[in-house]
Amino acid sequence: MAKESLEQSNEQSFELQKIYHKKVTFDAPNTPAVFLDEWKPAVNVDLNTSANRISDTNYEVVLGVTCKVLATGTDTVLFTAYVEQAGVFEVDGYDEAGVMALMGSFCPAQLYPYARNHISNLASFGGFPQLLLAPVDFDALLEDAMEQAEDELL
């Protein structure tokens, strides 16, 4: 019986509990004049993530996506859209490296399609053509961030 208890305590579990918006903003400071120009945007996308432990086994992960869209070759801002897409994830039985991989890559990858959809909707509802953001390799981003942090320590 004690053996079964030990085996159960070594099991890993991961479950998505909730997905929600934490913050959403849209700003189109130069409308309606920008609607008269030809649509040739330059899109700048910035991503950031954070993870906070909210209980023994629950973490909140927040993916922030900022899209600043400029008229090509100018400083004219067509619009800026910002979405903080968040989720609560239940994680149990993982070591520190496993939790870091989940929080830094897997969880943001689960949230990104929701954020990408909301950015596209914000652009459309703002009177602009649909904005389709490219897929993101969160594994590569996490690896780059870890290498950069390691370099800064040296």
Side-chain angles (χ1 to χ4, degrees):
M1 181 109 167
K3 188 174 184 181
E4 287 178 32
S5 175
L6 179 62
E7 287 175 3
Q8 288 177 347
S9 67
N10 289 334
E11 290 182 19
Q12 295 176 331
S13 66
F14 175 86
E15 188 175 327
L16 174 59
Q17 299 291 318
K18 185 82 169 164
I19 292 180
Y20 53 96
H21 282 140
K22 198 154 180 91
K23 184 175 184 179
V24 177
T25 63
F26 182 83
D27 184 34
N30 296 302
T31 56
V34 295
F35 295 134
L36 302 175
D37 296 330
E38 185 178 356
W39 178 250
K40 289 186 178 180
V43 180
N44 299 318
V45 179
D46 184 41
L47 302 172
N48 61 65
T49 61
S50 64
N52 299 305
R53 185 178 215 145
I54 56 177
S55 74
D56 287 345
T57 59
N58 287 294
Y59 294 81
E60 177 191 50
V61 178
V62 180
L63 171 65
V65 181
T66 304
C67 292
K68 187 170 187 177
V69 180
L70 305 170
T72 301
T74 71
D75 291 341
T76 303
V77 176
L78 301 175
F79 68 86
T80 303
Y82 178 71
V83 171
E84 280 186 1
Q85 191 68 49
V88 175
F89 298 86
E90 184 177 358
V91 178
D92 195 19
Y94 287 84
D95 62 12
E96 187 176 333
V99 170
M100 180 182 286
L102 287 170
M103 298 301 118
S105 177
F106 187 77
C107 294
Q110 302 308 302
L111 298 172
Y112 183 68
Y114 294 92
R116 182 170 61 179
N117 182 57
H118 293 302
I119 293 285
S120 180
N121 286 338
L122 287 169
S124 295
F125 292 146
F128 296 93
Q130 184 180 30
L131 180 63
L132 300 174
L133 299 181
V136 173
D137 183 349
F138 285 95
D139 290 333
L141 291 177
L142 178 61
E143 187 176 314
D144 290 346
M146 290 173 65
E147 286 175 9
Q148 183 178 3
E150 188 176 296
D151 290 344
E152 289 175 2
L153 290 174
L154 299 176

